Amino acid sequence: MEFWNITLIDSFFLIGILQDSSFPELVCFIIILLYLVAMASNGLLLMLIVMDNRLHVPMYFLLSQLSLMDLLFTSVVAPKTVIDYLCGQNTISFTNCGLQMFLALTLGGAEDILLAFMAYDRYVAIRHPLNYMIIMRPKVCWSMVGTSWFLASLSALVHTIYTMHFPFCSAREIHHLLCEIPPLLKLACAETSQYKFILYTTGVTFLLIPLSAIITSYTLVLNAVFHMPSTQGREKALLTCSSHMTVVGMYYGAAMFMYVLPSAYHNPQQDNILSVFYTIVTPALNPLIYSLRNKDVLGALKKITRKGPSGQRV
């Protein structure tokens, strides 16, 4: 109990990409820029989906939830990273480390599951267009979102509690952008091999089951798309699906490298760069990928910008 009390008031040192970089000022500027882009683009997309009635359909409801998760995910990491660098410190308390880990795991896991539900949404829209609004009714959409948050937060809570219960007796330097399980386990002075195996198994399950659902959905979707008689309908379906698959590729590629690739293939420099990618770069790019080629979103943006402060056209 004495050791546990000591651990609770201790701090870790986060040795992230800014501490390892030869050009920290430039990297800091890029992180600030990407964070502002993520906040602005996700915030704008959320506003458009709420304000434009044409976007009040299941596809955009799920997309709004993805934007919310991205906005929260990057806010868990980027502000602290920048503030710590500007203030000349890189410490994080034991409690805040656990909190950051829980939030990152929850948001990352929820996005993982939500992307699978979004693939199913596209499958229903293209394979069963006449019954789309019946199958994807509001109750079903809210159930999808609730399931994503519940399963992700439950898994995150279990892993956070178990990870933080280990005694840490190393240098207390976490060579990573944020508090995550793999780099933190390197500091544990207890036997962690069994837990690492459980973590690996959980990671594979949590990532590969949704990914398998996504691949299955899009295999069926593409089969239906290539049999569409309308060239315009085929192009619109392929455009929507390609945007989603781009986001899926970016997210799952980074997540599988971090949690599925054996630890022997990891090094702190690669992990630091990768952590910036999935916590800061991806949240900034996702809304741009979905909106720049989406006529509905661009139309909603033009509609808003043509109105004055009072809501009248200018």
Side-chain angles (χ1 to χ4, degrees):
M1 180 62 70
E2 182 182 357
F3 182 85
W4 176 253
N5 289 335
I6 293 173
T7 307
L8 278 177
I9 61 173
D10 250 337
S11 297
F12 295 104
F13 296 94
L14 286 172
I15 312 298
I17 192 169
L18 289 174
Q19 287 72 31
D20 282 343
S21 174
S22 302
F23 306 97
E25 295 86 359
L26 176 61
V27 175
C28 183
F29 173 76
I30 293 173
I31 290 176
I32 293 173
L33 180 63
L34 288 171
Y35 179 65
L36 292 176
V37 170
M39 293 293 290
S41 56
N42 283 292
L44 178 61
L45 187 56
L46 281 167
M47 183 187 73
L48 292 176
I49 292 172
V50 170
M51 295 181 65
D52 196 304
N53 291 333
R54 293 174 299 176
L55 302 183
H56 291 178
V57 294
M59 171 185 168
Y60 293 108
F61 170 74
L62 296 177
L63 180 56
S64 71
Q65 297 303 305
L66 180 68
S67 287
L68 178 62
M69 291 174 185
D70 280 337
L71 193 151
L72 294 173
F73 198 3
T74 192
S75 296
V76 168
V77 179
K80 176 172 174 52
T81 300
V82 172
I83 292 172
D84 282 357
Y85 174 73
L86 296 178
C87 294
Q89 63 180 28
N90 60 337
T91 60
I92 184 169
S93 69
F94 183 88
T95 303
N96 287 340
C97 182
L99 178 62
Q100 188 182 58
M101 181 188 299
F102 170 74
L103 293 175
L105 288 173
T106 297
L107 292 163
E111 188 167 331
D112 167 34
I113 300 171
L114 184 67
L115 286 172
F117 284 134
M118 291 175 71
Y120 175 74
D121 168 76
R122 292 299 83 209
Y123 162 77
V124 175
I126 294 172
R127 292 296 294 261
H128 306 284
L130 298 179
N131 295 321
Y132 175 59
M133 295 303 293
I134 298 174
I135 297 173
M136 296 296 296
R137 55 192 179 276
K139 184 178 179 181
V140 173
C141 293
W142 279 109
S143 297
M144 289 178 171
V145 173
T147 299
S148 300
W149 282 108
F150 175 74
L151 292 179
S153 60
L154 183 62
S155 174
L157 182 63
V158 171
H159 281 297
T160 300
I161 292 174
Y162 200 82
T163 300
M164 301 306 287
H165 99 283
F166 285 112
F168 299 103
C169 53
S170 295
R172 304 293 172 91
E173 292 184 352
I174 303 174
H175 289 267
H176 202 55
L177 183 69
L178 69 156
C179 284
E180 280 198 283
I181 298 174
L184 198 60
L185 288 179
K186 294 178 181 179
L187 305 184
C189 58
E191 174 57 43
T192 61
S193 57
Q194 289 185 346
Y195 178 56
K196 286 180 180 178
F197 177 76
I198 294 173
L199 181 66
Y200 175 80
T201 304
T202 305
V204 169
T205 303
F206 222 82
L207 290 170
L208 292 190
I209 290 179
L211 183 59
S212 299
I214 292 172
I215 293 172
T216 302
S217 295
Y218 276 107
T219 300
L220 297 172
V221 163
L222 291 175
N223 181 58
V225 166
F226 290 127
H227 287 86
M228 283 182 173
S230 168
T231 303
Q232 184 178 1
R234 189 185 308 125
E235 289 177 353
K236 183 177 180 180
L238 286 174
L239 191 63
T240 303
C241 294
S242 65
S243 297
H244 188 222
M245 288 305 295
T246 302
V247 172
V248 167
M250 290 194 306
Y251 175 81
Y252 277 90
M256 291 182 72
F257 187 94
M258 191 68 195
Y259 284 95
V260 177
L261 194 70
S263 58
Y265 295 94
H266 288 254
N267 68 65
Q269 290 74 27
Q270 288 179 343
D271 287 353
N272 259 323
I273 294 173
L274 191 68
S275 63
V276 172
F277 184 80
Y278 63 77
T279 61
I280 300 173
V281 177
T282 300
L285 293 180
N286 281 354
L288 300 179
I289 292 170
Y290 275 111
S291 61
L292 289 179
R293 297 185 298 171
N294 189 303
K295 292 181 180 179
D296 293 335
V297 174
L298 292 177
L301 180 60
K302 290 177 182 177
K303 181 180 176 182
I304 294 296
T305 54
R306 284 199 299 264
K307 292 183 178 181
S310 61
Q312 299 296 323
R313 292 185 180 274
V314 295

